[in-house]
Amino acid sequence: MSLSIPNAPNSGLFKAGYQNYDAEDGAVIRNIDACRTISQTVATSLGPFGRNKIVINHLQKMILTNDAATILRELEVVHPAAKLLVMASQQQEAEMGDATNLVIVLAGELLKKAEELIRMGLNTSDIVKGYEKAQHEALRALEELEVDKVDDIRSLPALSKALRTVIAAKQCGNEDVLAELVAEAVLAVMPKNPFNFNVDNVRVVKIMGGSLEQSKVVKGMVFGREPDGSIKKASKAKVGVFSCPIDTSQTETKGTVLLKNAQEMLDFTKGEEAQIEAIIKELHDAGLRVVVAGSTVGELPMHYLNRYGILVIKVLSKFELRRLCRVVGATPLARLGAPMPDEMGSIDVVETLEIGGDRVTVFRQENDQTRTATLVLRGATQNHLEDVERAVDDGVNVVKAITRDARLVAGAGAAEMGLVERISAFADKTSGLAQYAIRKYAEAFEVVPRLLAESAGLDATEVLARLYTAHNLSGSKSSTSSTTTTTTTTADNTPTADAAAAAAASSSVSTSGVDIENDDGTGVLDAQEHGILDLMVSKSWAIKLATEAARTVLAVDQIIVARQAGGPKPPGPNPNWDED
């Protein structure tokens, strides 16, 4: 109706059914509200004491997790502005595999602070400019907050130290066990050049029962089924991988065979048996002792495979088949017949083990370096095992990030408090309206220590006050030490003075963070002393993506939504989902 009225917004421009939200309707504020809602959903899951969420997806599968990437993947977000935050989080997952929650929480907080500035009367363009300047300053300041480094990536203790905090965020209490397991699995597959490390080479097999302490690393691949034939073990064996069915080939057209008596019928089956036996004998003569089938294995070929002492296992996933080919060094064949010598792989040990009542087949290479390592995880429930698998996945992705940049910053909200201090100082030096946006940008980083304190049941305001005090004390010490060092440097320009300046700068970094266990009653601890360290490159990517997402949302002043295409309406939510 409104489109027929002259002077109506966009009258006659769009087809009927379009929805149009412009700046006068407060489109920016609406977008910010939507983004804050999605941010608040995952904010309570931040940190080691983060709450779990139960998500029941469209297939009625229940997912219990505190992993932001998994929660957002299962939620079907339709609001266009909120989708931008989800996309930023997905980009972080693809790039780093960790700190996805930080992206959403930080972007939500930046937008909350921007809303305060808009209500004060600032223009969105001034806020966007200020946030851009503040982002550059934050990334520069983050470089100064380095407190440690993974010197030797091939050292188990050094790698475990860097993984502990990442795994503790998902599996608090089990971080020591899991960090060592992940480090052991990663080092088993680490190539000569660590930059070429492939996260896909560390696999996970979940077996119900037992406890997490019974988990172990196997050098090679583990399949959750036993071999199909009667042969269950092979060592120092040649391996053939077939992606085709191991059976008699079926003709495309139906053929009719007329049999006149019993003898002809016997001869017919004998011919088929002889043909199959010839194929299996050919495999045996080529030296194959292990056959991996990517499809079905007929009963008759199975009989002859058992007779010739060949171990046979079905691997129905084409991805697993490809990985197994990488482990044994074989080429998957689409024809049934003896492979060429270069198409065959070799394996040191193939054995069937019983783990907690489940029989599994292990393909293991005995040498120190293997192409694939498998983590066999044990646990009481399927949900718990899936959550542990996500923690392992984050740990392995962080190792990939360490191969690019091994620098570490203090965790437990210490690095964020350092950024608040440095960006606020930068705001004081900035002129114009941008300084208000920069100051609010600095305040947004408070959200991390605040959420950590709240999830641990502490008084967040009190903990933040103590953190500010600790960081300001270290800041004042650093300023006095840097002035004395500068005097030395100007007096005689020697390398010793530079070294002293560097030492003073590194000692000036305060590593006071939130003590979630509240051991001494203050709620504050020294993150570096307690080994709570975050990867700098993950933090910098999270800051970049969160700021970009916030700036993009703030730069939108109009949303035009087309009418949905025709067709039947999708089924709505089940109102009785919680009833038995």
Side-chain angles (χ1 to χ4, degrees), residues 494-549:
T494 55
T496 3
D498 292 339
S506 66
S507 66
S508 72
V509 176
S510 173
T511 54
S512 300
V514 182
D515 181 4
I516 54 171
E517 287 171 356
N518 202 13
D519 292 330
D520 56 359
T522 60
V524 174
L525 51 61
D526 190 319
Q528 193 177 2
E529 272 180 28
H530 286 74
I532 304 169
L533 300 164
D534 286 335
L535 198 63
M536 187 193 285
V537 69
S538 295
K539 276 245 192 295
S540 69
W541 268 100
I543 292 167
K544 276 182 212 166
L545 289 165
T547 312
E548 285 301 318

Side-chain angles (χ1 to χ4, degrees), residues 455-466:
S455 64
L458 305 171
D459 183 345
T461 314
E462 192 182 331
V463 171
L464 270 171
R466 286 192 175 132

Side-chain angles (χ1 to χ4, degrees), residues 73-391:
R73 192 164 49 242
E74 295 301 334
L75 296 175
E76 291 178 12
V77 180
V78 292
H79 193 285
K83 260 187 182 173
L84 287 170
L85 258 67
V86 176
M87 283 157 64
S89 175
Q90 287 168 346
Q91 185 61 34
Q92 176 77 3
E93 174 76 0
E95 199 67 44
M96 287 288 129
D98 182 38
T100 47
N101 206 339
L102 180 60
V103 174
I104 297 280
V105 167
L106 188 55
E109 192 67 13
L110 287 169
L111 289 169
K112 180 185 171 186
K113 298 292 181 191
E115 187 180 353
E116 292 171 15
L117 292 168
I118 290 169
R119 294 198 189 282
M120 278 167 54
L122 244 73
N123 199 322
T124 48
S125 57
D126 291 323
I127 301 170
V128 168
K129 270 185 215 161
Y131 275 11
E132 189 176 2
K133 285 181 182 175
Q135 179 195 341
H136 292 310
E137 178 60 22
L139 294 175
R140 190 199 62 72
L142 191 66
E143 304 276 326
E144 297 172 5
L145 296 173
E146 179 190 346
V147 293
D148 206 343
K149 193 174 182 182
V150 181
D151 297 316
D152 182 11
I153 201 166
R154 294 185 188 280
S155 157
L156 187 71
L159 205 53
S160 301
K161 180 180 72 175
L163 295 177
R164 269 187 79 249
T165 312
V166 176
I167 292 170
K170 299 276 185 297
Q171 285 292 315
C172 188
N174 298 325
E175 63 268 24
D176 293 323
V177 178
L178 281 172
E180 280 201 20
L181 282 171
V182 173
E184 189 186 332
V186 164
L187 292 176
V189 296
M190 186 67 77
K192 282 190 178 115
N193 180 3
F195 199 76
N196 297 331
F197 169 68
N198 184 1
V199 292
D200 197 45
N201 290 345
V202 178
R203 311 299 310 153
V204 171
V205 168
K206 306 183 287 282
I207 296 176
M208 293 250 302
S211 67
L212 196 63
E213 283 73 28
Q214 292 169 313
S215 304
K216 59 181 180 181
V217 176
V218 176
K219 288 182 179 179
M221 282 197 79
V222 177
F223 296 100
R225 58 185 299 159
E226 57 180 327
D228 293 74
S230 58
I231 312 297
K232 305 290 185 193
K233 191 168 182 180
S235 57
K236 301 287 181 197
K238 289 268 176 26
V239 184
V241 181
F242 297 95
S243 57
C244 60
I246 301 177
D247 205 350
T248 48
S249 53
Q250 301 288 327
T251 55
E252 283 183 17
T253 54
K254 284 186 178 178
T256 308
V257 179
L258 190 63
L259 303 171
K260 294 190 175 65
N261 52 39
Q263 189 57 45
E264 282 185 4
M265 188 173 178
L266 285 170
D267 292 344
F268 179 77
T269 54
K270 266 183 194 166
E272 190 180 1
E273 284 172 23
Q275 188 187 1
I276 293 286
E277 185 176 10
I279 292 168
I280 303 300
K281 187 174 185 303
E282 193 184 340
L283 297 181
H284 181 269
D285 293 344
L288 286 187
R289 294 296 175 269
V290 176
V291 165
V292 180
S295 191
T296 54
V297 180
E299 287 182 13
L300 194 59
M302 183 65 79
H303 166 73
Y304 284 112
L305 285 162
N306 287 339
R307 182 186 282 186
Y308 281 98
I310 297 174
L311 182 145
V312 59
I313 183 167
K314 277 193 279 194
V315 178
L316 299 178
S317 159
K318 63 179 181 183
F319 302 107
E320 292 293 311
L321 199 71
R322 203 177 296 161
R323 290 184 189 109
L324 183 61
C325 287
R326 207 162 56 209
V327 171
V328 300
T331 307
L333 300 173
R335 55 174 174 81
L336 191 57
M340 303 292 285
D342 59 334
E343 293 173 331
M344 287 191 279
S346 63
I347 192 79
D348 289 345
V349 177
V350 182
E351 59 184 347
T352 308
L353 301 175
E354 191 164 327
I355 302 176
D358 290 10
R359 293 181 73 77
V360 297
T361 307
V362 179
F363 280 72
R364 195 169 73 238
Q365 301 285 24
E366 292 289 311
N367 57 343
D368 290 338
Q369 197 62 29
T370 178
R371 293 277 184 88
T372 301
T374 304
L375 259 163
V376 179
L377 294 176
R378 308 296 314 282
T381 64
Q382 195 63 37
N383 272 323
H384 178 237
L385 282 172
E386 282 173 9
D387 228 22
V388 173
E389 184 183 9
R390 289 185 200 108

Side-chain angles (χ1 to χ4, degrees), residues 21 28 57 60 122 143 147 150 175 183 190 236 240 263 275 330 395 404 424 426 434 457 478 486 508 553 564 576:
Y21 308 104
V28 176
N57 67 7
Q60 299 298 299
L122 244 73
E143 304 276 326
V147 293
V150 181
E175 63 268 24
M190 186 67 77
K236 301 287 181 197
Q263 189 57 45
Q275 188 187 1
R404 299 191 217 167
S424 300
F426 174 66
S478 71
T486 320
S508 72
V553 171
Q564 282 192 334
N576 307 317

